[in-house]
Every structure is written in C-alpha cells, then in structure tokens.
C-alpha cells in the first residue's frame, strides 16, 4: 500500500488550515461515544437468509419473508408456506422497505414545545427520553383516576394486529373508560352488513375464483386493492380461462381492464342494477333450485312474471276438495316470494337502465350469463356500492345475488373464514376497580347506539363503532369532554372525511399522545409522539386472514434490529405505561399483564420485551404446541412456528352452512328476520317504531321494505347545477393504507394505476366533459364541494364515466415526510379526497360514507 | 514526528468536537462545547458564541430536531446513504460499507442510530487518527502511515463525498446561526483535512 507522506510541517498546516486548537485535542473528549468494541467471536451471516413475517400494507395480511443480510432487509417475497397468499406478494409489500428505511421516520420520543394547537401552529417538537415521555403519560392518566374522570380517557386505533386487545381493550378498561375507538367504520363495515343480514356472517368473504364460472365485481378492484390482492393477482389469469368477469364501477379499474364486461354505472345506483339482475334471474328461471328451492308442482303459478304478484299460498280444487299449499318451497333461503312481490317484480332491466345509465341489453346479458353460471357465480361486493349513505341496503342487494344462484358457501362461490384456534388474552375483570367501573358506565364518545346511529354490528344496537362521529363527540363534549387521548397508527385528520373536524377535535384535547412510525397530520395536534416499531420488520404480533379456501394465522416478527429507538405499539408501550402507573400506586394494569404467562416456561413477564413475546406465544399456543393441536397445519413447537411464520387451517368445508346459517331462520334471508329483530330492538330501546328509526337515519324504506334488499336513491344534497360532477374516490394498488405517500416508488410507478400519471396527483375527467368546461390535459385544477376543496391536475381519460370525476386517495399530505408534502405544514403534495367529502354515514352499519353522494365542480387554477 | 503527533491530536480533537455538535443539544453538552473552544481558533469561537443562553436552549433544540431528527420532513438528513445512493432511503449499500469499515477496526455501533450518521462518521475519523497517534507514539511509522491512508480512504469513500451536500443543506435550512456556522466550519474543516491528507 502506498503510504500518505507527511510532507508539510505542523506549523505550515496550522497556518494554511482552519483548524481547531488550544485545549481541543483528542484527549478532551475522551472515550468512544458511538462505538463499542466488537466481539471477535460474533459471526455474522453475510450470505443472508429469508425470515418470515407479515405485510400489513393492506388488509390482505399476506404472510411474507424478508431477505435479511447482516441485519438489513434487502428484498421481500411471499411466504411459500402460506396457503392463503400461496408464496406471492403484491407491489405494496416491497414498499415496506422504503417505509422502514425512511429517514423521515419518527426516531425517538418527542414532545411539543408550542402549547398552542391548530393546523397553522408548528408544534416545535424536541426529543425527550422514553422515561420522561412515559412519566408524563402516567401522570396524566393518574390525574384522571384521582379525580374520578377516567371516562375522559380515549384510545384511538388505526392499523392493528390481534395483539390489539392489550392496548385497545384491556388497558382502556382497567384505566376505566369505554372510549376505545377503532378505525373500522372508515374502512368497510358496510361490506359486512349485507352478508350478516342475509347469511349471518359479520365478516369479509373469500372468493373461490378458480372454481367460478362468473365473477361479478361491485366497486372492488381485486387486482389492486380490497383483500387477498397477492392471491388474486397470481391466479386471476387462471380464473379468466374459465370465468367471465364483469365489473360494475364508474371508472375503468385494473380488474375492469381485464374483464369481459365493464359496467360504468352512475355512482350510487348499484342496488338498482343488482335488483334488476335478480329480477332477470327469477323471470328467466335461472335461480339455483338446490339452494333456493322451487315452485310447488301443484301450484297453479310456477313462473315469475314481471309486474305480477305471486300469492304465497295457493288454493286449488281437486275433485271438489279444496287444497291449500305453499306456492314456492324454499330450501335454504327465506322470503323469496315476499322479496319478489314487494321489491323485485317491477325491477326490470328497463327500469334499472334509467337509474344506472347502463344499456338495457348489457344489464340483461350480464344477468343471464351470471344466472346461467349458477351455482358457480360470484357476486363480489366491495366498498364502492356500500360505503354510501344508504349503503346497508346496497350491501344486501348485491350480496343477495349469491343467495339466488346458490353460490353462498359453495364451490366457485363466496365463502366465509375457515376455523382457527387462537386464544383470547386473560380477562381483565378482576383488575377493574371501583373507579374504573364507574368510569365505564359512561356512554361512548362516538354516539353508537343512539337513535340516529344504530350501528347494528352483528345484530346489536350500538354494536359497531361510528369512528368519524367521535370528532363531533369530542368537539361538542357530548357525552363528555376528552382530556387524555392515546392514538396509535391512525391519522384521522387525513383519513376521515371532512377532515377539518378532526383537526379541531384533536386540537381541543388537552393532552394527547400519538404512537406511530411516521409523524403525520395527527401528530401536529399531539403533545407527545412515541416512535413505533414497523409492523413488517420490527414487531411481534399476529393476524388472521382468509383466501384460496384457507385461513392462515401469520406472525409479525422482528426480522431486523430496530433502526431507531422504537417500541412495539400494542405490547411494549402498554407494559411500559403499566410500570409507570404501578410506580404511582396503581398496579392493576401491570398485575393483569403479568398473567400473560409464557406457555413454554410458565414464567411471568418481567419486562416489556418478555411481555411482547409471551403474550404472542400465549395467544397462539394452540397452533404451535403439539400438545394443544386442534386442526390445520401441524407445527412442532414455538421455534418451528417462528421459522415458518404461518399456520394454515384445514381446507374449506363447502356447503356446511346450508341450512345452518347464523340467521334467525338458519337460512339465507331475502326477507331478513335477523335485520327485523335488530331494527325492532333498536327501535324499542328508543321507545319508537322501526319506520321512525329508518326516517331518522335518512333511509327511504318504510314497513316491510326495511327488512329486505331494496332500492334507495343516492343521497345527494348538492344541486347538480352548481356541482355538476359526481365525485368518485378510489384506492391505488400502491396505497399502503394511505401510508405510501413518503415512498418514492409510489410516484415513480403511479401510472400503473389505470388512468393515473407518474409524479402527479390527477383527477380523471371524461374528455367530452373536459371540453365542455374548457379544461385541458395537465391543467392545474381545483375540485370544490360544499365542504371543502383540493388542488390537483386534470387528466382527460375515457375510462371515467361522463358526469363523474375520479381521483385516487392517498396524496395531499400537508404534514408528513419530505416526499409526501411540498412544504411541511404549509403546502400539500396533491390533494386529499377527504377534504371534499362530507362527513356522512351509512347509519345502520355505522360506516363513513365515501361513495355515491358527493358532487363537485371543477375550476381551472 | 512530534509535530505530526500534535497536528493529529488537533485533527482528532476537531473531528470529535464536530461529532459532538451534531447530537441533540443539552446543558451538559453545551458546557463541553464551550470548554472545548476556550482557546480555539477564531472560527470555532464564532460558532460557540452563537449558542443561545442556557435558559433559551429550546430554540436550539427545535432547530436541531427539524434539521436532523424530525419528526416530519428532515431538513438536512444526517445520513450518508441519502446523499450517496440517490434515493431518500437509509441503510443502503453505502451504509453497509461503513459498517465494514468499523468492523475492520474492531468496532461496532453501540448507539441506536444508523451507522452512516454524520456524528458516527466524524467520530470514526477521530478514532482512526487516534490509532495513527498511538502508532507514532510507539514508533511504528508504517502503522501510522497505514492509518493515515485509512483516514484518506474513508473520507474519499464516505464522509468527504457527501459532506458538501449535507452542510449546504444545513446552512440553507438552519434557523439558528449556531448550526449555520457549524455547517460552514464542518465543510471547511473536512475540505482542509482532505487536502492535508493528500499532501
């Protein structure tokens, strides 16, 4: 090696260089600060290995593996052991690498130094120690407990795993509050409404696409978002070899671009189409007799004829003897004739064509082809038709088609989730003291169960959350003020509609904490930020998911050393808070957490790390402990489970629920006795009748209609003259739930969303409409609704139905990382759809409405 | 040789001092900065003069956070890979290479930070210089020259390659004069040191 020669003297050097002197020598700052001495015996595997974990980029919850070299994650693939995502992953998984290694991540606990809160107030965050952060949080909680105000504590939950109950459930309960508010109702609760009130399952479906002959998709884009995207992306080609696909959506989706039919429906008119399809199936005799049943052979009426009522019973004279019979013998369904008589008989394709803007022939063709494919014909209900102000009945109408063609629980049809055997955490009941019990008697901040918010999750009045309403509860102090709030992995001032309500609500809370990987809009209004482990690379946890006829339980594992000083949101942080509360004389939470025993050693956790691991082993023991085996994959101990990263259920038991559905009648209910009971119970609770409830909640149905899938007009409030375009919101194939905005790849590849452009946030306008309003491709525009406005760029595109403007959700962050925002706190990059969508609800499910009710105008900037 | 050792002592001290300055400011740290600069050259004194009074430390802390910590968009990311790999992402191949550098010297990073953080790279330079000094002191000229080579090579492969972009950002985005001056000083210090090492 050639040596560097010291040619110049010290004197010369000092003269020539600006260099420090005097007392500042190497000896002044002694010792190594950043470095330790490396153990020479530590062998690091530089070859790298695949380590199992889970992608939570969307709710597919794919089991994945990260290739880790010397502690650094390099690339991602699907976990080959998963039978749900079958070794595949989608583009979103890879974005995880840009998230975990994002220099803008929250790195250490921070506190705000500017006490004034508001959108235009810079919080001026500075770093603090974990100890200081936790002490402050514990002091605030103790203040509530000492003043018997525990009901003024609130927990907001965004993205979660099934470890959620530790922070969301148990901690809130033991402190003494009922205000644990999940994000579920801004996601897709209305999607579960139809299946529950027809077949008794409050859950998302899986779709047996490889055995299906017809796939009718409503407002979902399985090749981009919705659920099991990896699986469907990998198998869609195979499915297309056998099945026809029809997509109902006002914009040309990724799925529509590969479909046999695209039905560019007018927003909000989905149930009109669904009912017309049902009408055609019945009048053409295409319903599936083995499931629905058939006309009585002795009945004089044995056909559905448009416009004609069918008596439920018939009378015939046989040899002078009067015989009474049931006109239609239903097998596994309930109320078909009632549904026909009260709803379907006049819902012809001609009627629907006027409502939907679709050609009569297309409606008829799709209906007949769908019906002919029975029972291997899927009606796939996504968020589009249901996350609407009257979406509950759209959900029922679209899902009821699966009943007509007998595809429910059937080969090539719609399936529920398979059985799995995870365990609940220990009950906290013994640790809820008098103060907490008194606090828990107060009503929830989101108004669920009130007359105007039935939120009928699984049949129960107020059984579901009304996430977006919590902002109004906080603002109006109704039923009480909120003094202390902890929120994790949520960003409601961005992700909820009519965002400014959340900005004001969070500003009003005197003390709030945000647990997150990246500071975001919600952080702007927080007092303390706690940095969280990234769910794919740094966290212990588990989630369940179903697809391909299986269910898997997949582990989230810390496959790399955490990059910064982060903690796990759902386990470590509540433990650390529990320790601080115990130091202050309130040890119920810590004592409860100590009951989460390690099933292998019988040891109780003594620190946050042990608690995190033991609680996971506790919940999943039945899956990995051979002594507790109950079904599915046979796994040989915890280490084996960690390595595999996933447990798979037994295959799907088709038709097992035929005749044994969890509805009132145990049948598939076209006339929902289950909904009738739920509505009557809610009405009784408020000392009124069902019709009053329906009116109060903005539904048009009265009487028996309220218990059946039926047509409701879209709930537009704006005038078409002033706001001529219906606004269509959609999700990108790259949206990691609105958290991709600081990933460079998102912008680099945005044009893979059909109609979108790289490095732009575009609103897609039909060229004919654009010409009328004088807008050209690439024009900067403002989209204005009565509740707000956003700025973006015009894109002229034939894939948008005339009269609508469609725009992807995800951009428009005004406070996030350097890629996501143009200028921190001041200028957003792109526009946030939620700024123009009014806070409106499908009140029966509690869901926040996003589709089919917003009108806007477009202004050139 | 005595002269070289003295120069190296000063150089090592300079790197160590700069490394310290990029950590979050607190009272103890500010005392150390001030004590280090008592009889320093005018440039250094001018940096330290810009430290706000202790009772107004918060403003310095807010500025430091926005520049180097967050929580929102980092104004001047203090990580080598952000500049060297053309993608706003940490823990790239260049980061891995710094770990190789540290590992070859029997070191690992014990703080919870990314290995190519400015303070860590500055401290590593100080470490390499201290090894050079040790070698001079034990009369091992060959070893001393070896460590001089390492210093030069590390600067050429890492710190020296991104320090200009980094310090320009700091100078441009900092609100406090302290960080503006620190950035200027860091840039010129390293520039001169790179010159010195090629002499």
């Amino acid at each position: 090696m050639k040596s560097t020669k010291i040619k110049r003297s010290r004197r010369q050097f000092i003269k020539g260089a600006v260099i420090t002197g005097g007392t500042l020598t190497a000896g002044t700052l002694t010792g190594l600060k950043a470095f330790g001495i490396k153990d020479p015996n530590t062998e690091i595997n530089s070859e790298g290995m695949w380590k199992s974990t889970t992608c939570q980029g969307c709710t597919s919850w794919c089991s994945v593996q990260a290739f880790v070299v010397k502690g650094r994650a390099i690339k991602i693939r699907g976990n080959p052991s998963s039978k749900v995502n079958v070794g595949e992953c989608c583009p979103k998984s890879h974005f995880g690498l840009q998230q975990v290694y994002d220099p803008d991540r929250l790195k250490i606990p921070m506190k705000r130094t500017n006490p004034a809160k508001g959108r235009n107030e810079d919080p001026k965050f500075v770093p603090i120690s974990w100890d200081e952060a936790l002490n402050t949080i514990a002091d605030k909680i103790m203040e509530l407990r000492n003043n018997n105000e525990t009901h003024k504590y609130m927990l907001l939950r965004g993205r979660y795993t099934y470890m959620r109950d530790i922070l969301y459930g148990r901690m809130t309960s033991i402190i003494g509050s009922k205000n644990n508010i999940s994000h579920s109702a801004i996601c897709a609760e209305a999607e579960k409404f139809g299946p529950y009130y027809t077949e008794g399952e409050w859950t998302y479906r899986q779709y047996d696409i490889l055995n299906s002959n017809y796939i009718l998709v409503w407002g979902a884009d399985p090749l981009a978002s919705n659920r099991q995207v990896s699986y469907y992306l990998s198998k869609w080609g195979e499915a297309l070899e056998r099945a026809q696909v029809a997509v109902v959506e006002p914009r040309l989706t990724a799925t529509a671009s590969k479909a046999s039919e695209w039905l560019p429906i007018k927003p909000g008119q989905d149930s009109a189409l669904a009912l017309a399809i049902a009408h055609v199936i019945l009048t053409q005799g295409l319903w599936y007799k083995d499931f629905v049943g058939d006309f009585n052979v002795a009945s004089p009426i044995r056909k559905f004829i448009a416009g004609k009522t069918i008596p439920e019973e018939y009378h015939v004279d046989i040899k002078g003897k009067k015989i009474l019979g049931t006109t239609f013998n239903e097998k596994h369904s309930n109320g078909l004739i009632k549904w026909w008589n009260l709803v379907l008989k006049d819902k012809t394709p001609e009627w629907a064509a006027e409502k939907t803007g679709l050609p009569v022939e297309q409606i008829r063709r799709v209906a007949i082809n769908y019906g002919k494919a029975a029972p291997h014909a899927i009606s796939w209900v996504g968020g589009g038709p249901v996350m609407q102000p009257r979406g509950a009945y759209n959900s029922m109408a679209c899902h009821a088609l699966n009943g007509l063609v007998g595809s429910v629980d059937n080969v090539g049809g719609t399936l529920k989730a398979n059985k799995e055997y995870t365990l609940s955490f220990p009950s906290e009941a013994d640790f809820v003291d008098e103060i907490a019990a008194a606090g828990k008697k107060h009503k929830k901040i989101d108004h669920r169960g009130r007359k105007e918010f039935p939120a009928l999750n699984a049949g129960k009045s107020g059984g579901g959350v009304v996430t977006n309403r919590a902002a109004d509860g906080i603002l109006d102090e109704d039923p009480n003020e909120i003094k202390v709030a902890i929120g994790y992995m949520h960003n409601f001032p961005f992700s909820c509609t009519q965002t400014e309500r959340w900005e004001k609500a969070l500003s009003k809370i005197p003390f709030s904490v945000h647990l997150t990987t990246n500071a975001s809009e919600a952080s702007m209004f927080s007092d303390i930020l706690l940095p969280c482990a990234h769910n794919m690379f740094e966290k212990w946890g588990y989630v369940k998911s179903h697809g391909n006829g299986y269910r898997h339980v997949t582990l989230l594992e810390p496959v790399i050393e955490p990059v910064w000083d982060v903690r796990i949101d759902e386990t470590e942080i509540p433990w650390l808070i529990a320790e601080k509360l115990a130091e202050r004389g309130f040890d119920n939470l810590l004592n409860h957490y100590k009951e989460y025993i390690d099933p292998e050693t019988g040891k109780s956790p003594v620190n946050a790390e042990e608690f995190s691991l033991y609680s996971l082993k506790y919940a999943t023991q039945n899956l990995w402990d051979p002594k507790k085996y109950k079904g599915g994959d046979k796994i040989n101990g915890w280490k084996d489970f960690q390595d595999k990263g996933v447990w798979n259920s037994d295959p799907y038991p088709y038709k097992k629920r035929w005749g044994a559905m969890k509805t009132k009648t145990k049948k598939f209910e076209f006339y929902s006795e289950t909904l009738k009971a739920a509505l009557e119970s809610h009405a009784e609770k408020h000392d009124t009748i069902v019709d009053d409830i329906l009116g109060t909640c903005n539904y048009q149905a009265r009487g028996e209609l309220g218990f059946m899938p039926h047509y409701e007009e879209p709930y537009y409030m704006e005038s078409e003259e002033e706001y001529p375009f219906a606004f269509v919101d959609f999700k990108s194939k790259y949206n990691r739930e609105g958290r991709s905005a600081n990933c460079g790849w998102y912008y680099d590849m945005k044009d893979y969303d059909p109609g979108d452009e790289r490095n732009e946030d575009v609103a897609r306008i039909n060229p004919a409409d654009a010409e009328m309003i004088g807008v050209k491709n690439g024009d900067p525009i403002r989209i204005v609704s009565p509740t707000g406005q956003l700025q973006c760029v015009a894109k002229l595109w034939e894939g948008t139905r005339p009269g609508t403007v469609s725009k992807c959700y995800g951009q428009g962050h005004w406070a996030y990382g350097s890629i996501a925002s143009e200028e921190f706190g001041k200028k957003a990059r792109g526009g946030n759809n939620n700024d123009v969508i009014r806070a409106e609800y499908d009140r029966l499910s509690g869901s926040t409405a996003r589709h089919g009710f917003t009108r806007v105008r477009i202004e050139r900037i | 040789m005595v002269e070289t050792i003295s120069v190296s002592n000063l150089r090592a001290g300079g790197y160590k001092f700069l490394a310290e300055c990029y950590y979050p400011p607190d009272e103890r740290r500010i005392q150390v900065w001030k004590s280090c600069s008592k009889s320093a050259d005018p440039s250094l004194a001018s940096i330290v003069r810009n430290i706000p009074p202790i009772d107004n430390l918060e403003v310095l802390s807010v500025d430091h956070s926005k520049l180097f910590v967050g929580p929102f968009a980092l104004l001047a990311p203090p990580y080598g890979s952000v500049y060297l790999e053309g993608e706003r992402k940490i823990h790239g191949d260049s980061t891995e290479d710094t770990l190789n550098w540290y590992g070859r010297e029997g070191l690992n990073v014990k703080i919870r930070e990314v290995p190519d953080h400015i303070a860590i790279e500055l401290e590593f330079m100080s470490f390499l210089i201290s090894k050079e000094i040790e070698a001079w002191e034990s009369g091992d000229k060959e070893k001393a020259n070896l460590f001089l080579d390492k210093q030069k090579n590390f600067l050429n492969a890492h710190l020296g390659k991104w320090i200009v972009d980094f310090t320009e950002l700091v100078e441009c985005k900092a609100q406090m004069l302290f960080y503006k001056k620190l950035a200027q000083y860091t840039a010129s210090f390293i520039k001169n040191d790179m010159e010195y090492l090629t002499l």
Side-chain angles (χ1 to χ4, degrees), chain A residues 7-166:
Chain A
K7 290 179 184 168
R8 195 156 63 162
S9 72
R10 177 195 167 212
R11 188 176 301 277
Q12 286 170 309
F13 177 69
I14 288 176
K15 266 189 180 173
V18 181
I19 181 71
T20 176
T23 57
L24 182 59
T25 64
T28 310
L29 298 154
T30 51
L32 293 168
K33 177 180 169 57
F35 294 102
I37 303 302
K38 193 176 161 189
D39 180 354
N41 299 317
T42 315
E43 271 300 313
I44 296 175
N45 178 4
S46 56
E47 296 297 308
M49 64 185 297
W50 288 104
K51 291 186 169 185
S52 300
T53 184
T54 299
C55 176
Q56 287 203 293
C58 71
T59 42
S60 295
W61 292 344
C62 293
S63 189
V64 298
Q65 295 185 320
F67 191 67
V68 179
V69 184
K70 293 189 192 172
R72 189 162 62 108
I74 305 289
K75 55 184 172 182
I76 308 298
R77 71 176 184 190
N79 186 342
S81 298
S82 167
K83 291 178 182 168
V84 171
N85 56 291
V86 294
E88 301 289 342
C89 65
C90 87
K92 285 186 273 285
S93 299
H94 304 287
F95 279 55
L97 292 167
Q98 285 201 325
Q99 287 187 319
V100 72
Y101 295 134
D102 179 353
D104 294 333
R105 267 183 77 179
L106 179 59
K107 305 168 185 70
I108 45 175
M110 304 190 88
K111 70 174 178 189
R112 84 183 293 130
T113 58
N114 175 9
K117 291 181 183 174
R119 178 158 178 161
N120 298 317
E121 293 289 346
D122 181 349
K124 298 189 175 171
F125 283 110
V126 296
I128 49 171
S129 66
W130 272 98
D131 209 42
E132 183 183 341
L134 294 163
N135 279 331
T136 312
I137 295 166
D139 283 343
K140 295 289 179 186
I141 293 171
M142 288 309 293
E143 214 173 287
L144 293 182
R145 286 193 51 87
N146 293 337
N147 295 328
N148 293 311
E149 290 183 319
T150 57
H151 56 290
K152 297 178 181 176
Y153 170 80
M154 176 176 75
L155 189 287
L156 297 173
R157 184 184 88 192
R159 172 49 46 229
Y160 64 89
T161 74
Y162 286 91
M163 308 302 281
R164 63 194 181 186
D165 289 336
I166 291 168

Side-chain angles (χ1 to χ4, degrees), chain A residues 752-783:
Chain A
Y752 282 85
D753 282 321
D756 271 8
E757 290 289 321
R758 295 175 67 181
N759 296 311
E760 288 287 6
D761 195 14
V762 296
R764 298 97 58 89
I765 308 165
N766 190 281
D769 287 340
E771 197 181 341
M772 272 194 294
I773 58 172
V775 167
K776 294 192 183 59
N777 217 18
D779 279 353
I781 54 169
R782 189 180 293 116
I783 295 180

Side-chain angles (χ1 to χ4, degrees), chain A residues 357-470:
Chain A
L358 298 170
V360 174
E361 274 322 301
Q362 188 179 32
I363 297 172
R364 197 182 304 280
R365 181 173 64 242
V366 168
I368 290 174
N369 290 341
Y370 176 75
K372 281 184 175 170
H376 312 298
I378 293 168
S379 175
W380 183 314
V381 188
V386 303
M387 296 300 276
Q388 301 184 5
R390 293 160 174 163
Y393 290 108
N394 295 353
S395 185
M396 288 178 84
C398 297
H399 188 68
L401 297 178
N402 294 305
L404 274 187
V405 297
S407 65
V408 173
D409 215 35
N410 200 355
V411 177
T414 72
L415 316 176
K416 60 169 257 190
N418 309 51
K419 196 166 174 47
E420 55 83 23
Y421 308 99
T422 54
L423 294 166
S424 300
F425 293 119
S427 163
E428 82 281 21
D430 291 345
F431 299 91
V432 176
D433 63 10
E434 271 182 35
I435 295 173
K440 286 177 70 177
K441 284 191 179 136
H442 292 259
K443 301 279 185 202
K444 291 206 183 208
I445 198 76
D446 65 344
H447 303 171
R448 70 184 74 177
R450 290 189 181 182
K451 184 179 173 187
E452 67 277 22
F453 283 106
L456 299 174
N457 179 324
K460 189 176 167 234
S461 167
V465 63
V466 193
T467 313
N468 206 6
R469 185 67 176 180

Side-chain angles (χ1 to χ4, degrees), chain A residues 257-296:
Chain A
S257 72
K258 308 210 177 299
S260 337
E261 302 254 6
W262 172 40
L263 297 94
I265 195 168
K266 280 186 190 168
Q269 297 289 358
D270 307 83
S271 65
L273 178 60
L275 297 171
I277 291 173
H279 175 97
V280 173
I281 288 171
L282 291 177
T283 52
Q284 297 289 316
L286 296 172
W287 72 91
Y288 190 60
K289 317 296 188 281
D290 286 353
F291 184 75
V292 180
D294 205 348
F295 286 100
N296 193 325

